[in-house]
Amino acid sequence: MRALLAAASILVLLTACSPEDPASGEARPDAAGAASGDHDAMDQAAMDHEGAGDATGMGASAAADLLTGPQSVTVEADGQNAMFAGTWIRTPPQGRDVAAGYLVVRTQNPDAIVEVTSPDAERVELHTMTMDDNVMRMRRIDRLETGPEPVRLAPGSDHLMIFGLSESARTNAAARLTLTFESGLVAEELVFPIEDAMPE
């Protein structure tokens, strides 16, 4: 019975990750004929979110401490600044090129991440997790609001979904991601170590 429930949860994650046709709201296949939330994405999502009862994995005060630590990065432009810390990407399963990315971010003024790109991946999407009848559902979002309070992207919660992670990034155990904000601020090529678990 537990195996059946787990299989059903994985199927929901696969369906929810597929891009939607704006007209119908239904998952649409990509040019290759397979939904881009493919088996690689399904396997990765299932691994990343298994048993994620604590959506953040870290309290607000700990996240704030992380932003003031020696590993934090600050970017400033036109009266706005953003601080980043705790960047990492979970190591994808052997032979797969889909992975989830996480970080803590805080902006001086209310803002929103509206685009994430990487020279080390085909594309990066913003995703959110919600619970529906005890089933985790993952879906793509267009923007992620930020502000003076730390926002944590973590397993079981909001996160980055990275598709087509390059072989060189996997070999070097790091990828570069650029985050663009609604205000126009751009955090260029932040380094995301690729790790089996959240770095200490």
Side-chain angles (χ1 to χ4, degrees):
M1 183 64 176
R2 293 181 62 164
L4 183 60
L5 287 173
S9 295
I10 290 173
L11 181 59
V12 168
L13 284 172
L14 174 61
T15 303
C17 270
S18 301
E20 291 183 351
D21 183 325
S24 66
E26 295 179 354
R28 57 177 169 77
D30 61 19
S36 60
D38 57 10
H39 288 291
D40 289 358
M42 176 183 69
D43 291 347
Q44 183 65 36
M47 179 182 73
D48 282 343
H49 304 303
E50 180 181 359
D54 177 0
T56 64
M58 177 184 290
S61 61
D65 289 345
L66 197 61
L67 285 167
T68 58
Q71 302 301 319
S72 66
V73 174
T74 301
V75 178
E76 299 185 45
D78 298 327
Q80 174 70 299
N81 74 46
M83 298 182 69
F84 306 90
T87 57
W88 70 288
I89 295 170
R90 190 185 294 278
T91 305
Q94 186 69 30
R96 307 296 176 88
D97 64 356
V98 178
Y102 312 107
L103 74 154
V104 178
V105 57
R106 177 172 63 197
T107 52
Q108 178 181 355
N109 304 306
D111 210 334
I113 300 170
V114 293
E115 183 180 32
V116 184
T117 60
S118 173
D120 299 312
E122 291 176 8
R123 74 179 190 280
V124 183
E125 297 178 357
L126 291 163
H127 281 215
T128 191
M129 292 289 299
T130 57
M131 291 295 294
D132 186 5
D133 293 330
N134 294 320
V135 175
M136 282 184 281
R137 299 179 186 274
M138 182 165 58
R139 65 181 177 86
R140 181 180 177 178
I141 54 177
D142 293 328
R143 64 198 304 276
L144 180 69
E145 293 187 0
T146 61
E149 292 298 318
V151 174
R152 182 168 176 77
L153 282 68
S157 185
D158 296 335
H159 58 280
L160 304 175
M161 207 70 190
I162 301 155
F163 298 88
L165 186 63
S166 71
E167 184 175 347
S168 62
R170 285 174 277 154
T171 299
N172 296 325
R176 297 158 293 162
L177 275 64
T178 294
L179 282 67
T180 301
F181 288 78
E182 197 168 58
S183 64
L185 183 146
V186 178
E188 294 188 13
E189 298 196 357
L190 299 176
V191 176
F192 281 64
I194 299 175
E195 307 274 0
D196 292 338
M198 182 175 69
E200 295 293 334

